[in-house]
Amino acid sequence: MNAPTLSPLHGRLALCRPGFERECLQELEQAARDAGLAGYARARESGGHAEFILHDGSDAGALTVATRWDALIFARQVLDLIARLEGLDPVDRIGPLLAALNERGERFGDLVIEHTDSDAGRELAGLARSLTPPLRVALQRARLLDAAAPRHLHVLLLAGDSLLLAAAAPGAAAPDPGGIPRLRFPAGAPSRSTLKLEEALLVLLDERERERWLRAGMTAVDLGAAPGGWTFQLVRRSLRVIAVDNGPMDRALLDSGLVEHRREDGFRFRPARTVDWLVCDMVEQPRRIAALMAAWLGERRCRRALFNLKLPMKKRLVEVRLCLDLIRDAVPGIELRARQLYHDREEITVLALPHA
Ligand SMILES: C[S@@+](CC[C@H](N)C(=O)[O-])C[C@H]1O[C@@H](n2cnc3c(N)ncnc32)[C@H](O)[C@@H]1O
């Protein structure tokens, strides 16, 4: 077998939902351009990851800041690229990996082995698990692990014989491998959509915000609520919910005493009093949803909003930017946090926080 090839890389590695590599690339390119950094982006369709390679001499630190994982919409995770290793012998993947890292000399605080979310990537989950303990021991023996080191080492398996080496400071990367939070389907939830809202509240809010903004007795309107997966998340936090949908709501939710079901058009319904939350999962054109959210927020009918924008069209990033600008124009100073979550399909989730 030929010796493996090592190609040092200078740039960023982003993981995304397979099929959204183009949007991820466009965001990386735009962020680099805005930061005055020159390079090029590349990805394979449905590969579940994208790379932005900096031209020699460019400031990699500036790119790391410009493309933080939580500043990009379509990236689940973003890491600093170190190298690509190809042509690995399955009998000894660790030897060449250690040789490459030894040559660089950087020590790492911890090791994360991950894979993409593509069909091919998911088949590598077992290998990622089985490789972790021996690689960790080997790194320790080679004195390449040091709990005080600022960056963690990320190994992204691309195939049985190839991988990418990357790194990130723990606070500057998504906390879960692959940027995928492991959520268990809650007993009694009426639809799988419930995990979308659970993930959104986990990823788009920090702990302090969740404590302050999701308290018992607070009020919410859920537009397009049936059968009640999103309402379930609000009710389990003891919020009172007006669920607007012509479709039937889950019986147990209605029996909770916290839910009022209104069989009305979500585009026409308005609450009698300002509510703490507006959430919306109606399947509609994104611009119509954005205009509706802008109207509620502009008229102060809700203190904050969390909604999905469905993206069945071709120019998805263009459409997203149009929708976000529409809301920013209507509600000056508003903070928008937008992400394609793991549980989102052809859609993104947006949190809108008007500043009082
Ligand atoms: C994706 S489902 C919502 C699932 C829900 N979030 C859950 O977790 O169970 C979309 C819902 O939007 C409702 N919907 C679509 N257009 C609507 C409208 N104009 N007014 C009210 N509901 C609408 C549909 O009836 C459907 O129940």
Side-chain angles (χ1 to χ4, degrees):
M1 188 150 185
N2 291 334
T5 47
L6 171 72
S7 320
L9 294 170
H10 202 45
R12 293 283 272 171
L13 165 65
L15 303 185
C16 63
R17 182 180 183 83
F20 285 80
E21 297 77 16
R22 194 154 55 99
E23 288 69 23
C24 205
L25 285 182
Q26 289 167 343
E27 282 195 285
L28 286 169
E29 279 169 336
Q30 175 82 53
R33 235 189 343 264
D34 291 350
L37 297 161
Y40 64 94
R42 63 185 180 195
R44 200 168 39 79
E45 202 177 324
S46 297
H49 73 286
E51 295 166 45
F52 186 87
I53 308 300
L54 276 175
H55 289 330
D56 288 346
S58 299
D59 181 356
L63 185 66
T64 301
V65 173
T67 56
R68 260 186 73 104
W69 74 282
D70 48 1
L72 303 182
I73 298 170
F74 289 96
R76 290 176 181 165
Q77 175 66 292
V78 193
L79 307 164
D80 294 329
L81 270 170
I82 293 176
R84 178 185 288 265
L85 256 173
E86 286 167 307
L88 287 164
D89 182 348
V91 175
D92 178 24
R93 298 180 178 93
I94 292 180
L97 213 154
L98 276 190
L101 292 171
N102 259 324
E103 202 168 316
R104 290 183 78 250
E106 178 177 352
R107 290 174 164 206
F108 298 99
D110 202 359
L111 164 71
V112 185
I113 302 189
E114 45 208 330
H115 53 84
T116 67
D117 192 22
S118 66
D119 291 343
R122 283 193 299 273
E123 282 178 17
L124 297 166
L127 179 58
R129 269 194 304 277
S130 62
L131 202 55
T132 302
L135 180 54
R136 183 169 280 126
V137 169
L139 290 168
Q140 270 157 350
R141 287 207 180 118
R143 299 186 180 285
L144 287 166
L145 278 189
D146 170 0
R151 301 203 298 177
H152 288 179
L153 173 66
H154 291 253
V155 176
L156 181 75
L157 300 176
L158 296 175
D161 64 352
S162 65
L163 53 83
L164 288 168
L165 294 177
D176 301 291
I180 302 175
R182 306 280 155 196
L183 300 180
R184 200 175 294 165
F185 185 73
S191 69
R192 285 210 70 75
S193 285
T194 200
L195 293 175
K196 275 196 294 187
L197 186 58
E198 183 168 351
E199 185 184 355
L201 297 175
L202 190 70
V203 172
L204 297 177
L205 298 176
D206 65 28
E207 206 173 325
R208 222 174 92 77
E209 290 168 339
R210 279 191 296 275
E211 272 170 23
R212 279 167 48 214
W213 295 341
L214 292 162
R215 288 207 306 266
M218 286 185 159
T219 52
V221 169
D222 183 355
L223 299 179
W230 285 31
T231 293
F232 176 90
Q233 289 294 334
L234 300 167
V235 164
R236 79 196 298 208
R237 291 169 175 81
S238 304
L239 274 75
R240 283 184 287 125
V241 184
I242 301 176
V244 183
D245 201 308
N246 271 319
M249 287 293 287
D250 177 70
R251 193 66 248 164
L253 275 176
L254 297 178
D255 290 345
S256 71
L258 290 172
V259 180
E260 181 188 346
H261 183 192
R262 301 277 283 264
R263 292 182 185 273
E264 291 181 41
D265 180 0
F267 285 92
R268 300 171 83 97
F269 174 84
R270 295 290 189 275
R273 272 183 223 97
T274 301
V275 289
D276 293 298
W277 284 95
L278 167 63
V279 299
C280 174
D281 189 23
M282 289 192 291
V283 182
E284 249 300 340
Q285 289 170 26
R287 264 179 254 188
R288 260 198 102 192
I289 298 293
L292 182 66
M293 299 300 110
W296 275 66
L297 291 157
E299 295 162 15
R300 295 177 184 261
R301 291 182 189 274
C302 58
R303 298 201 169 82
R304 48 200 79 84
L306 201 152
F307 52 95
N308 260 192
L309 296 176
K310 318 282 175 190
L311 303 169
M313 63 285 298
K314 276 210 170 118
K315 294 188 170 175
R316 297 184 284 214
L317 188 59
V318 173
E319 187 64 29
V320 166
R321 289 194 169 136
L322 249 154
C323 289
L324 299 184
D325 284 347
L326 189 156
I327 299 171
R328 286 193 190 101
D329 288 346
V331 192
I334 195 165
E335 179 184 348
L336 297 175
R337 301 178 192 169
R339 287 188 73 73
Q340 185 173 44
L341 302 168
Y342 173 66
H343 292 94
D344 283 335
R345 292 166 186 264
E346 300 261 302
E347 61 199 334
I348 63 160
T349 302
V350 184
L351 172 70
L353 302 170
H355 293 294

